[in-house]
């Protein structure tokens, strides 16, 4: 089944219902008769130091408002809600359980560092997870996982190739002391070995209580590394970059674009110039439609924290889910959404990528079977703005270890 990704093809006579924005905390009583439209929910953390993604709600909400203004899906308005995990395991579990209790048709744009615990809840409920930023290995194996790209795994795997192309000789990995980042760091080392990039080992930063990041930045220098992948949250990345700049650490630093954007770069000033971020989408500021939708949704033009890559991903995830839902005959449910996703191919997601969820594999198909082979490119910062770093994108950074 070929589905059309252009917004115009979703247009039907306007039904007049406004976008339904519901708070997760209250739950809801959703019955079979309610499932005549697409009901979606975004899940991410807001307002925490460990992980903070207010752009996920902003991006998803802007997409829903734009689609509903154009007629919705099959002439009906999308119903949207958001759940804040608060960066805590209990909060993430609560969000997953509420999604199951409320009977939502799909999760969109999820950024959850606790997917090892929460995805089984979505699996049991049969709720498809559309366009999550993949963070843990379960995201590459779960039958309800339908990512648009390889997420942090793809970004981090592209790092060794980019370092090698730039002539770097020895790579360190600076990572959070957390299960998800430990698995990611191990994956990076496997890719580095396949790419022939020597490793300076892993520098482990405690998940909480760190106020001085200088010792961790100094270890990059002490280990003789001339490049480093940094696997920390937005605040930790800012702190490490500031410390490295103050210590005169002469190493190319790189991170996932989902952890460091223009708002973070401008927060630390000149210390961000030349830092790499690796992305499947390019700079969010260069996507005119995404930014126009945020403008229409009332997001201030200078509110860069709401115009980051996780928000762009959530915006795309909503469009992807809406495109697939548009091909469903009859009521839209989690079950019918999953069935449609398993058949959908060549979904044009707002001109940014062509998505083939039907081709995603099963856990028995080898490593990372549900991560699409999307290309990742290196971006950098100049005066706080995200710009291309040059060099060709890596078509499938995980290919060597799949």
């Amino acid at each position: 089944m070929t589905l059309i990704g252009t917004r115009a093809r979703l247009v039907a006579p306007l039904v007049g219902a406004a976008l339904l924005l519901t708070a997760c905390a209250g739950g809801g009583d959703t019955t079979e008769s309610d499932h005549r439209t697409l009901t979606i929910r975004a899940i991410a953390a807001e307002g925490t130091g460990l992980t903070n993604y207010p752009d996920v709600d902003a991006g998803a909400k802007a997409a829903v408002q734009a689609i509903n203004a154009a007629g919705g899906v099959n002439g009906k308005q999308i119903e949207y809600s958001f759940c804040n995990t608060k960066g805590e395991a209990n909060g993430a579990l609560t969000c997953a359980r509420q999604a199951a209790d409320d009977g939502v048709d799909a999760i969109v744009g999820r950024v959850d560092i606790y997917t090892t615990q929460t995805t089984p809840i979505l699996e049991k409920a049969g709720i498809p997870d559309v366009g999550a930023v993949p963070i843990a290995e379960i995201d590459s194996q779960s039958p309800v996982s339908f990512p648009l790209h390889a997420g942090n795994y793809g970004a981090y795997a592209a790092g060794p190739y980019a370092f090698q192309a730039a002539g770097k000789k020895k790579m360190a990995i600076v990572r959070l002391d957390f299960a998800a980042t430990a698995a990611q760091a191990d994956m990076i080392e496997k890719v580095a070995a396949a790419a022939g990039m020597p490793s300076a080992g892993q520098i482990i930063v405690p998940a909480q209580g760190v106020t001085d990041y200088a010792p961790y930045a100094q270890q990059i220098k002490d280990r003789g590394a001339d490049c480093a992948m940094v696997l920390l949250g937005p605040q930790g990345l800012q702190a490490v970059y500031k410390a490295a700049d103050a210590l005169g650490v002469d190493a190319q630093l790189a991170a996932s674009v989902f952890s460091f954007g223009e708002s973070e770069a401008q927060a630390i000033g000149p210390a961000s110039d030349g830092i790499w971020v690796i992305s499947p989408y390019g700079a969010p500021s260069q996507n005119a439609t995404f930014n126009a939708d945020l403008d229409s949704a009332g997001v201030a033009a200078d509110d860069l924290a709401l115009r980051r890559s996780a928000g762009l991903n959530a915006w795309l995830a909503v469009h992807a889910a809406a495109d697939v839902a548009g091909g469903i005959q009859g009521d839209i449910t989690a079950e019918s959404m999953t069935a449609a996703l398993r058949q959908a191919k060549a979904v044009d997601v707002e001109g940014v990528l062509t998505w083939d969820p039907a081709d995603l594999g099963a856990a028995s198909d080898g490593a990372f079977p549900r991560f699409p082979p999307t290309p990742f490119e290196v971006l950098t910062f100049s005066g706080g703005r995200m710009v291309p770093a040059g060099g060709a994108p890596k078509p499938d950074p995980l290919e060597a270890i799949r």
Side-chain angles (χ1 to χ4, degrees):
M1 175 174 60
T2 299
L3 299 170
I4 305 301
T6 57
R7 185 176 300 163
R9 296 296 290 274
L10 292 173
V11 176
L14 199 59
V15 295
L19 166 68
L20 181 62
L21 301 177
T22 61
C24 281
D29 297 321
T30 303
T31 66
E32 279 291 320
S33 61
D34 293 322
H35 280 304
R36 295 178 180 174
T37 185
L38 176 62
T39 303
I40 57 176
R41 180 167 297 170
I43 295 176
E46 287 188 0
T48 74
L50 179 61
T51 172
N52 185 32
Y53 292 96
D55 49 322
V56 168
D57 185 32
K61 190 181 297 181
V64 171
Q65 289 179 340
I67 295 169
N68 281 349
V73 175
N74 295 336
K76 297 183 182 295
Q77 302 283 277
I78 300 172
E79 296 180 359
Y80 168 77
S81 55
F82 174 77
C83 192
N84 181 6
T85 69
K86 301 178 182 178
E88 300 171 349
N90 285 339
L93 288 165
T94 296
C95 284
R97 289 169 182 149
Q98 287 179 346
D101 290 344
D102 295 347
V104 300
D105 302 325
I107 302 299
V108 290
R110 184 165 68 134
V111 182
D112 178 9
I113 60 176
Y114 299 102
T115 54
T116 301
Q117 295 117 289
T118 56
T119 294
I121 297 172
L122 301 182
E123 288 180 358
K124 185 176 180 180
I127 299 173
D129 189 16
V130 179
V133 176
I135 291 174
E137 194 165 353
I138 193 172
D139 304 324
S140 75
Q141 298 177 343
S142 172
V144 301
S145 178
F146 294 92
L148 302 176
H149 51 79
N152 285 347
Y153 273 80
Y156 295 144
Y161 295 105
F163 290 143
Q164 189 178 57
K168 301 303 178 182
K169 304 299 182 184
K170 193 175 185 181
M171 179 191 71
I173 299 170
V174 183
R175 71 164 177 88
L176 200 65
D177 189 9
F178 191 76
T181 48
Q184 291 165 356
D186 291 343
M187 177 275 300
I188 295 170
E189 291 188 330
K190 291 177 183 177
V191 173
M197 168 59 67
S199 173
Q202 300 181 19
I203 299 167
I204 302 173
V205 180
Q208 295 180 346
V210 179
T211 57
D212 181 9
Y213 285 80
Y216 307 103
Q218 182 65 42
Q219 285 188 55
I220 300 172
K221 190 173 185 178
D222 293 345
R223 295 183 184 211
D226 60 359
C227 56
M229 286 300 308
V230 187
L231 285 59
L232 301 175
Q235 291 190 9
L237 281 165
Q238 291 178 62
V240 164
Y241 293 157
K242 284 182 179 180
D245 183 62
L247 292 168
V249 175
D250 185 18
Q252 178 64 62
L253 304 179
S256 167
V257 76
F258 297 110
S259 297
F260 195 85
E262 289 184 350
S263 58
E264 290 78 21
Q266 294 186 15
I268 65 174
S272 69
D273 284 357
I275 288 170
W276 287 357
V277 287
I278 305 177
S279 170
Y281 294 147
S285 60
Q286 298 305 302
N287 189 304
T289 309
F290 168 62
N291 285 285
D293 283 354
L294 288 172
D295 293 342
S296 297
V299 175
D302 61 353
D303 193 345
L304 299 179
L306 298 184
R307 295 174 182 264
R308 299 187 305 177
S309 291
L312 172 58
N313 181 76
W315 179 81
L316 290 167
V318 170
H319 281 287
D323 284 355
V324 172
I328 295 174
Q329 302 297 316
D331 286 355
I332 299 173
T333 66
E335 183 179 8
S336 64
M337 273 294 294
T338 300
L341 285 160
R342 289 174 177 168
Q343 298 178 53
K345 289 191 176 185
V347 182
D348 175 7
V349 187
E350 291 299 287
V352 175
L353 77 160
T354 300
W355 186 46
D356 298 292
D359 291 343
L360 301 180
S364 59
D365 294 335
F368 314 114
R370 299 190 71 78
F371 287 168
T374 44
F376 281 74
E377 66 176 305
V378 179
L379 306 171
T380 189
F381 295 92
S382 178
R385 306 302 298 188
M386 195 180 292
V387 298
K394 182 65 179 173
D396 179 11
L398 294 166
E399 182 179 14
I401 59 171
R402 282 188 185 271

